């Protein structure tokens, strides 16, 4: 896929997507092309991510959710899972120093109980450390699956109904949203997926209902701030009707 690089001046800063979702795909292929182990692709992917967060924050985007580890990724070889977990731990630790200095609020979304105690503790620490920042909110989707998220919401709402905290006739879309990991956050309005794949892979199924989808053949470690700007300009040139005319 070819597209012109977009300059920052082409972006309408008054009409930015409020929430960008990114499926960061292609780390393995990036490494393979270079004769490197898959871990090298993930490391390069983590570096690419830092630059994208900085760019999105500087532009004034309010929320960004990145798919770092899905509920299905446990099926990968243990060595790769261990490496991804250590990379995530490092990222959370260092984020306190690097990204927090940029005013980023860091949150982890997904099911935590399957993660190691060390990562669970670090998530709490990093969230606490960055919670009063006023810049972009970065959700790291970690052991995240949209079906798990929705199932969890259904269980919580059923428990409330059984305990008569809520009447089933009062269950609205709003009630469901309030039981998702992204409670109080706007829907994703721009969804980016790299590496040429064009599927959702169990990512934010509820929140992307009206998202504009943007795909590129670039592999995630090659995705640059200029590519993010390109996606935003394309987003701004689309007519969004939300089911209307
Ligand atoms: C998909 O590429 C990518 C992942 C499963 C992991 C994404 C992780 C990162 C970008 C780095 C770590 C993130 C943080 C927040 C530190 P793939 O491995 O499926 O690539 P392939 O399809 O080419 O094999």
């Amino acid at each position: 896929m070819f597209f012109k690089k977009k300059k920052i001046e082409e972006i309408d800063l008054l009409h930015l997507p409020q929430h960008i979702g990114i499926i960061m795909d292609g780390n393995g292929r990036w490494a393979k092309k270079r004769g490197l182990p898959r871990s090298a692709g993930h490391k390069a992917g983590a570096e690419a991510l830092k630059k994208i967060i900085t760019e999105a924050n500087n532009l004034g985007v309010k929320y960004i959710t990145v798919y770092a580890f899905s509920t299905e990724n446990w099926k990968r070889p243990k060595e790769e899972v261990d490496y991804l977990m250590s990379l995530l731990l490092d990222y959370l630790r260092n984020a306190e120093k690097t990204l927090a200095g940029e005013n980023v609020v860091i949150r982890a979304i997904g099911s935590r109980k399957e993660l190691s105690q060390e990562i669970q503790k670090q998530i709490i620490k990093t969230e606490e450390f960055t919670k009063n920042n006023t810049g972009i909110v970065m959700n790291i989707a970690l052991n995240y699956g949209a079906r798990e998220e929705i199932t969890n919401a259904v269980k919580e709402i059923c428990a409330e109904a059984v305990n008569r905290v809520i009447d089933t006739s009062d269950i609205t879309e709003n009630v469901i949203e309030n039981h998702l990991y992204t409670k109080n956050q706007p829907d994703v309005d721009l969804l980016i997926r790299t590496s040429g794949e064009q599927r959702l892979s169990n990512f934010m199924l509820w929140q992307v209902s009206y998202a504009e989808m943007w795909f590129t053949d670039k592999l995630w470690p090659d995705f640059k701030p200029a590519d993010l700007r390109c996606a935003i300009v394309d987003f701004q040139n689309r007519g969004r009707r939300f089911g209307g005319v």
Side-chain angles (χ1 to χ4, degrees), residues 106-108 112 123-131:
I106 296 167
R107 302 196 52 233
R112 295 191 186 179
I123 289 173
I124 295 170
K125 230 173 128 189
T126 305
E127 285 185 340
E128 187 60 29
F129 189 80
T130 62
K131 73 173 185 201

Side-chain angles (χ1 to χ4, degrees), residues 24-32 37-38 40-46 84 87 194-195 219-221:
M24 309 178 288
D25 198 6
N27 295 347
R29 276 162 283 169
W30 183 92
K32 194 171 176 197
R38 293 177 62 80
H42 294 315
K43 187 164 185 278
L84 276 168
L87 201 58
T194 57
S195 93
L219 304 174
W220 174 252

Side-chain angles (χ1 to χ4, degrees), residues 207-226:
Q207 298 89 335
V208 301
S209 294
Y210 283 99
E212 294 295 325
M213 324 262 265
W214 194 87
F215 301 108
T216 170
D217 285 344
K218 278 203 175 183
L219 304 174
W220 174 252
D222 293 328
F223 191 81
K224 299 278 177 317

Side-chain angles (χ1 to χ4, degrees), residues 52-243:
I52 296 303
I53 299 299
T54 302
E55 179 74 5
N57 192 28
N58 287 343
L59 286 171
V61 174
K62 297 286 177 235
Y63 295 87
I64 191 160
T65 302
V66 295
Y67 210 3
F69 193 90
S70 76
T71 45
E72 289 73 35
N73 284 153
W74 298 105
K75 292 184 212 148
R76 294 189 176 209
K78 182 176 181 308
E79 196 186 73
E80 184 173 350
V81 170
D82 287 349
Y83 184 79
L84 276 168
M85 289 297 156
S86 69
L87 201 58
L88 283 156
L89 186 61
D90 275 359
Y91 195 88
L92 288 165
R93 275 197 192 122
N94 294 332
E96 290 190 7
K97 287 188 223 103
T98 49
L99 290 176
E102 296 182 28
N103 211 15
V104 178
V105 180
I106 296 167
R107 302 196 52 233
I109 63 167
S111 174
R112 295 191 186 179
K113 56 184 187 294
E114 294 83 4
L115 301 171
S116 72
Q117 284 298 317
E118 200 180 13
I119 294 192
Q120 290 189 40
K121 277 192 203 141
Q122 187 60 47
I123 289 173
I124 295 170
K125 230 173 128 189
T126 305
E127 285 185 340
E128 187 60 29
F129 189 80
T130 62
K131 73 173 185 201
N132 294 323
N133 286 344
T134 53
I136 194 167
V137 175
M138 174 193 191
N139 297 317
I140 303 179
L142 182 47
N143 194 29
Y144 174 87
R147 288 182 174 185
E148 187 277 333
E149 177 180 42
I150 294 169
T151 306
N152 191 52
V154 170
K155 278 186 192 158
E156 286 178 10
I157 296 166
C158 284
E160 287 179 12
V162 167
N163 294 322
R164 306 207 179 282
V165 176
I166 191 170
D167 194 273
T168 48
S169 60
D170 293 328
I171 298 172
T172 59
E173 292 185 6
N174 234 336
V175 170
I176 296 173
E177 272 162 11
N178 283 335
H179 286 269
L180 300 180
Y181 296 124
T182 50
K183 178 181 169 175
N184 296 330
Q185 298 188 5
D187 277 351
V188 170
D189 34 26
L190 169 62
L191 175 69
I192 296 172
R193 181 166 188 153
T194 57
S195 93
E197 309 291 348
Q198 303 194 354
R199 36 173 194 273
L200 288 173
S201 302
N202 202 13
F203 183 66
M204 305 190 94
L205 300 182
W206 179 284
Q207 298 89 335
V208 301
S209 294
Y210 283 99
E212 294 295 325
M213 324 262 265
W214 194 87
F215 301 108
T216 170
D217 285 344
K218 278 203 175 183
L219 304 174
W220 174 252
D222 293 328
F223 191 81
K224 299 278 177 317
D227 300 315
L228 178 74
R229 296 200 293 273
C230 184
I232 293 176
V233 172
D234 283 353
F235 165 86
Q236 292 180 330
N237 286 312
R238 292 192 191 174
R240 302 185 81 205
R241 294 189 297 278
F242 299 95

